[in-house]
Amino acid sequence: MKSWKSVIWAVMLSVALPLGLVYWHTSLLTCLLLGVWVAAVLAFSFIGNRRHFERELHIQENTLQQAAIRTLNHHRHDWMNDLQILYGYIQLGKPDKSVQCVERIKERIALDSRIAKLGIPSLVFYIQSFRTYRSSLELEVQVEEGLQLNNALSSEAGDELTSVIMQTVRAYQYSGLAPQGETRKLSLGFTQDAGDILISFQGEGNHANPELLQGQIYNIVQGKIMRAEQFKSNGAYIQLRLPLEM
């Protein structure tokens, strides 16, 4: 990135050469040379920038594709584990355990369905792919039945909501709710309250510095479409209120 910008600046500064010639000896030839040089610099900059952005777009698409593949592989691995456990219970002749296993699978399917029905692609992808990254934080998601956001929020508002949730989760992730090296749990909930959406974050245990975490959350939502409210004294619970029909 820096090297490409340096090339662009060097090419643009090269205009100083024909400009100096025009200043030193103004003539039709030097003016024509200056015009051709400027046109060539502009064409080079335009073509170069377009190719650069195309490469950046290709890199972003490749990164997104790799993340999608990781997510699919992770879910496939989870389903295979569940099916192997269910098959084992069936072979051992344990119908009660088999039924419990099937109920767990049904609950996971229902949760995935409710997450998908939120309708914000960036948010759904973030939640579904979170488990595929090696993290010290385990995210447990709860979504109220029938809750949909895509019809109530614009595309820009949906992306802003996703950004706020990602930053808030990151704040919890590095907030020290559990000893270093141990897996921490964070519950992320989506519920509807009259004309608003409530997004809750519930971390395990007490927070070592609740004032610091609350300050971080307030900074995250400052100037955004939602507001932070209902902090508990231990600092592990924070709720965001999002008005609908944005």
Side-chain angles (χ1 to χ4, degrees):
M1 173 67 85
K2 291 183 178 180
S3 61
W4 171 246
K5 288 183 177 180
S6 299
V7 171
I8 293 295
W9 276 107
V11 171
M12 294 179 66
L13 289 175
S14 69
V15 177
L17 178 60
L19 188 62
L21 289 175
V22 171
Y23 179 79
W24 177 68
H25 180 66
T26 303
S27 67
L28 179 61
L29 180 61
T30 55
C31 289
L32 182 61
L33 176 62
L34 175 61
V36 172
W37 199 296
V38 170
V41 167
L42 292 176
F44 176 83
S45 300
F46 174 77
I47 295 174
N49 278 321
R50 186 176 65 179
R51 290 181 177 177
H52 173 71
F53 287 129
E54 287 176 352
R55 286 196 298 269
E56 288 293 319
L57 180 61
H58 177 72
I59 292 174
Q60 293 177 5
E61 289 178 348
N62 186 57
T63 301
L64 181 61
Q65 290 169 357
Q66 291 179 357
I69 291 173
R70 285 198 304 268
T71 302
L72 291 174
N73 287 336
H74 187 88
H75 282 280
R76 178 185 59 80
H77 183 266
D78 287 346
W79 288 121
M80 288 301 298
N81 285 342
D82 289 336
L83 290 176
Q84 288 175 358
I85 293 173
L86 176 60
Y87 184 65
Y89 286 145
I90 293 175
Q91 283 187 316
L92 293 174
K94 296 183 177 181
D96 293 341
K97 293 290 186 179
S98 299
V99 171
Q100 292 176 7
C101 185
V102 171
E103 290 298 326
R104 287 197 302 269
I105 294 175
K106 288 174 59 179
E107 289 175 2
R108 285 184 51 197
I109 294 175
L111 176 59
D112 287 342
S113 176
R114 292 196 297 271
I115 292 174
K117 288 179 180 178
L118 287 174
I120 301 176
S122 57
L123 178 60
V124 173
F125 183 77
Y126 171 71
I127 293 175
Q128 296 287 24
S129 63
F130 186 86
R131 291 181 297 172
T132 66
Y133 296 95
R134 294 181 179 179
S135 171
S136 59
L137 188 69
E138 179 182 343
L139 190 63
E140 297 181 348
V141 182
Q142 299 174 353
V143 180
E144 184 179 290
E145 183 67 37
L147 181 60
Q148 296 184 9
L149 301 178
N150 56 321
N151 295 327
L153 297 176
S154 64
S155 177
E156 294 77 10
D159 290 339
E160 184 175 292
L161 172 62
T162 302
S163 176
V164 169
I165 291 176
M166 291 173 62
Q167 293 180 64
T168 304
V169 170
R170 192 177 300 114
Y172 271 95
Q173 187 172 355
Y174 298 103
S175 62
L177 286 172
Q180 187 68 25
E182 295 185 9
T183 300
R184 292 168 285 178
K185 290 185 179 181
L186 175 64
S187 296
L188 171 61
F190 296 86
T191 58
Q192 189 166 357
D193 178 32
D196 298 339
I197 295 297
L198 302 181
I199 305 156
S200 61
F201 299 83
Q202 176 68 62
E204 281 188 339
N206 294 332
H207 190 270
N209 193 336
E211 292 80 10
L212 177 60
L213 178 62
Q214 292 178 15
Q216 291 176 333
I217 304 303
Y218 276 124
N219 288 334
I220 290 172
V221 301
Q222 186 175 11
K224 302 296 192 303
I225 59 177
M226 64 206 68
R227 65 179 184 270
E229 61 181 18
Q230 292 192 14
F231 293 98
K232 288 187 178 179
S233 59
N234 61 10
Y237 178 87
I238 294 176
Q239 180 175 281
L240 305 180
R241 181 175 291 273
L242 169 66
L244 288 182
E245 300 181 356
M246 300 299 297

